[in-house]
Amino acid sequence: MNDDLLDSGPANGGVRHYGIPPWRSPESSFGQRPAAGEVRCRTAIVGGGLAGVAAALHLMETGPDDDVVVLEADRIAAGASGRGTGLVGPRIGQSLTDTRRKHGDVVTRALYEWSVAAVDHVIALSRAHQFDCGMTVGSQLVVAVDERSRRGLGRELAVARDLGLPIEEVPATELPPTQTDYLGGMRLRPAATVDPAALTAAVACAAHRAGVLIVEGARVRNVTPGRPVRLETSSGEVIADRVVIAVNACEPGTNVATGIVRLRAQAAATAVLSPGQLAELDWLTDQPLIEAGDLAPYFRLTPEGRIIVGGGGLRRGAIGSEPLAVETLRAAVNLLAPSLADVPFEFAWSGPIGVTSDGLPVLGRRYHNILLAGGWRGHGVAAAAFAGSLIADQLQHRAGDGAQPELFPVERGLVRRPPMFGPIPRLIDGYLSHLERRVSRSLTKRQPAAPSGAVAGKSTKFHGERRS
C-alpha cells in the first residue's frame, strides 16, 4: 500500500494525508522476525486483522497451554481492520427484507441477534481490557433521503416489528438538523465507534502478552491440508494441527478457495473542527448518521473532533490506498451544516472490503482442521472480532468434551464466487459505476444553493465526477 505523505495541492484535491487514514497505525513492536526454517505449533492463524488476533487472544485466555502462531503478510491491521471507518453496529449481510425473503424468519432473526451480540462483545472486550481505542458507545441513525429510501426503511421497520427486533422508528420531525430534509429514519442499538487500527493493535498486544507468537512479514504462499497442515511462508514452513485463515479482503496467497470477492471502498476525514462547528454537530458525537442506500454516504465524529465520511465509491480489487472520488465525499460533508462548506479534508484514503454473492460472510470449516473467516461486507469491526472469539471457542470444544458451539446462523467454509473472466468483471464494474452515479446525482440535487452575491467559481454546488 502507498503510505507516502504528500503535500496538499491540486493533484490530490488539497488533502494533506493522501491515501492514509487518520488512525493510530500500530508499530511493529512484537519483536518477532519472520520465522525461518520449520516452526511447529498447535494453532496457526493466517491474518493479523481483528478476526485473527481476536481468535489468538481468546485461545490463550480459554486455553493458556495452547501454542498459537499468527502469520501476517504485512503488519498488524494493514488490511481492512486498519483502514475502515470504525463503525461498530448491528446488521450483517443484506437488508432484513432481502434476508427474510431468502432465508425466512428464523434465520433472519438469528442473524440480527448474532450481530447485536457481536457489538456487545466488542464493547465488553474493550472495557474489560481497557483498550485505548477511542471507543464511544451510543447508537446508529439510518435515514431516508428520498421516497425510494423511505419505502425501503418502511419495509425494514415492518420486518423488525414482525420479528421482534430492537429497531426504533424515528419520525422525520425528530431527526437531527442538517441541510437535507430527511424523510424518516430508524435507530439501531447497541452501537459504538472506535479507532479500528488502535483496537486491532490493542487486541494483538494483549494476545502477544498472553504468549501468542506474532510474525509480521510472513506471507503464506501455500496451504497443504492434512494432519497436520503445512503452511509454506515467505521464509519457511509452519506445521500446525489446525489452521484459521482470516484474511477477509486481502489476498490469502494460498490454494484454499473462499469465494470472497475483494473490493475497495473510500473514506475521508476533515481537519479538527472548531468549537462552533462541533456545537452544531453535538448530536453526531455518539450517533453516526447513515444515509440509506448502496454506497450512500455516512458520517461519524472522532473523539478529537474530526468528521469521518465514507461511501460514494467502490472499486473491484483490494489493492491500492488512494481515495476513489474525493469530491463526492466533500459534497456529502457540505450537507451536514452550513459552517462545513469550507472545512478541509486532512485525510482521504481507500481500503479493502470482502463481500460474497449473498452478502453473508464465509465463516466455517473448509476442511476438518481448517476454518475460514471473512467477507464481512463492511461490518467487520464487530463481526470479525466476535467471530474470532467464537472460532476459538469451537476449537477448544472440539478438542474437549461437550456440544460444539455454533459459529454463525449460516455456517459455511466456502461460497460460490462469480467467475472473474469474460464479461463478468465488466458487468460488475458497470454496476458499481451505476451506483456511484446515483449517489452523485442525489448529492448534487441536495446541495444548498450558493448565497446571493457569491463569487463565481466559489459555489458549493457539486457537479459530480466522471470516470473514464
Side-chain angles (χ1 to χ4, degrees):
M1 292 182 181
N2 176 21
D3 286 343
D4 295 330
L5 177 63
L6 303 180
D7 289 333
S8 60
N12 57 28
V15 180
R16 172 68 177 166
H17 300 78
Y18 204 69
I20 305 174
W23 314 125
R24 288 172 285 162
S25 296
E27 299 293 333
S28 298
S29 58
F30 303 102
Q32 312 294 348
R33 293 177 300 174
E38 183 178 288
V39 174
R40 185 69 168 86
C41 64
R42 176 152 173 70
T43 307
I45 298 173
V46 182
L50 262 175
V53 297
L57 174 60
H58 202 64
L59 278 169
M60 297 306 295
E61 289 179 334
T62 57
D65 294 332
D66 207 341
D67 181 15
V68 182
V69 175
V70 173
L71 303 170
E72 166 54 44
D74 191 336
R75 66 182 189 280
I76 294 299
S81 295
R83 303 189 73 82
T85 51
L87 296 187
V88 185
R91 295 191 299 172
I92 191 77
Q94 297 178 326
S95 67
L96 293 174
T97 307
D98 290 340
T99 303
R100 187 188 204 186
R101 185 181 304 118
K102 294 177 181 178
H103 298 284
D105 288 359
V106 174
V107 171
T108 302
R109 184 186 296 108
L111 285 169
Y112 193 84
E113 290 173 347
W114 189 95
S115 74
V116 169
V119 177
D120 287 334
H121 171 81
V122 172
I123 294 172
L125 179 70
S126 180
R127 287 173 171 171
H129 288 269
Q130 297 183 323
F131 290 148
D132 178 17
C133 61
M135 176 171 283
T136 301
V137 178
S139 62
Q140 289 183 352
L141 186 60
V142 183
V143 296
V145 301
D146 53 25
E147 281 298 322
R148 175 179 178 152
S149 56
R150 186 190 65 79
R151 289 192 298 269
L153 282 190
R155 290 190 293 269
E156 292 293 280
L157 288 164
V159 174
R161 285 192 295 270
D162 289 348
L163 303 184
L165 303 179
I167 298 177
E168 172 193 349
E169 181 175 5
V170 183
T173 55
E174 297 179 15
L175 293 173
T178 69
Q179 298 201 89
T180 292
D181 293 326
Y182 294 125
L183 305 183
M186 62 182 185
R187 183 171 286 113
L188 310 178
R189 291 192 178 97
T193 56
V194 297
D195 177 329
L199 175 64
T200 307
V203 176
C205 287
H208 177 56
R209 289 193 298 268
V212 174
L213 174 64
I214 296 178
V215 185
E216 297 179 306
R219 181 175 298 278
V220 174
R221 293 174 173 167
N222 190 64
V223 176
T224 304
R227 299 188 183 185
V229 183
R230 294 182 176 272
L231 299 95
E232 177 191 341
T233 76
S234 52
S235 56
E237 187 176 56
V238 176
I239 302 172
D241 296 325
R242 61 235 186 138
V243 171
V244 178
I245 298 178
V247 294
N248 191 33
C250 293
E251 180 59 47
T254 76
N255 59 326
V256 178
T258 64
I260 296 171
V261 176
R262 295 167 179 87
L263 303 174
R264 190 158 51 96
Q266 69 169 355
T270 67
V272 175
L273 302 184
S274 69
Q277 291 168 328
L278 288 171
E280 284 189 278
L281 298 170
D282 60 344
W283 54 269
L284 193 58
T285 301
D286 59 356
Q287 181 180 247
L289 182 73
I290 303 168
E291 294 190 359
D294 292 329
L295 300 193
Y298 56 92
F299 313 89
R300 59 159 291 203
L301 272 179
T302 65
E304 68 269 25
R306 301 182 192 276
I307 297 173
I308 305 292
V309 54
L314 198 62
R315 300 286 190 277
R316 185 169 49 87
I319 304 302
S321 60
E322 295 188 355
L324 311 174
V326 174
E327 287 305 314
T328 305
L329 300 177
R330 288 192 186 280
V333 170
N334 286 348
L335 294 172
L336 284 179
S339 63
L340 302 179
D342 297 321
V343 65
F345 281 165
E346 192 167 335
F347 299 85
W349 72 100
S350 66
I353 64 172
V355 302
T356 61
S357 55
D358 63 358
L360 294 176
V362 176
L363 186 53
R365 292 186 181 273
R366 183 69 177 88
Y367 298 95
H368 172 78
N369 54 352
I370 299 179
L371 284 85
L372 269 61
W376 309 116
R377 200 172 181 255
H379 299 286
V381 178
F386 187 45
S389 70
L390 295 177
I391 285 171
D393 284 340
Q394 190 170 106
L395 290 175
Q396 297 290 19
H397 278 77
R398 196 170 184 86
D401 300 323
Q404 185 172 307
E406 184 183 65
L407 275 178
F408 194 64
V410 184
E411 287 191 35
R412 68 267 183 91
L414 176 70
V415 297
R416 185 181 297 276
R417 186 173 186 264
M420 290 300 172
F421 56 83
I424 301 299
R426 292 194 299 274
L427 290 173
I428 293 175
D429 291 342
Y431 178 66
L432 295 178
S433 295
H434 163 72
L435 294 177
E436 190 174 321
R437 287 192 297 270
R438 190 164 71 189
V439 172
S440 174
R441 286 194 297 268
S442 173
L443 291 170
T444 300
K445 183 178 179 180
R446 293 185 282 135
Q447 287 297 303
S452 59
V455 178
K458 295 296 185 179
S459 170
T460 58
K461 196 74 166 179
F462 173 64
H463 298 289
E465 174 183 296
R466 288 191 177 273
R467 289 206 298 136
S468 57

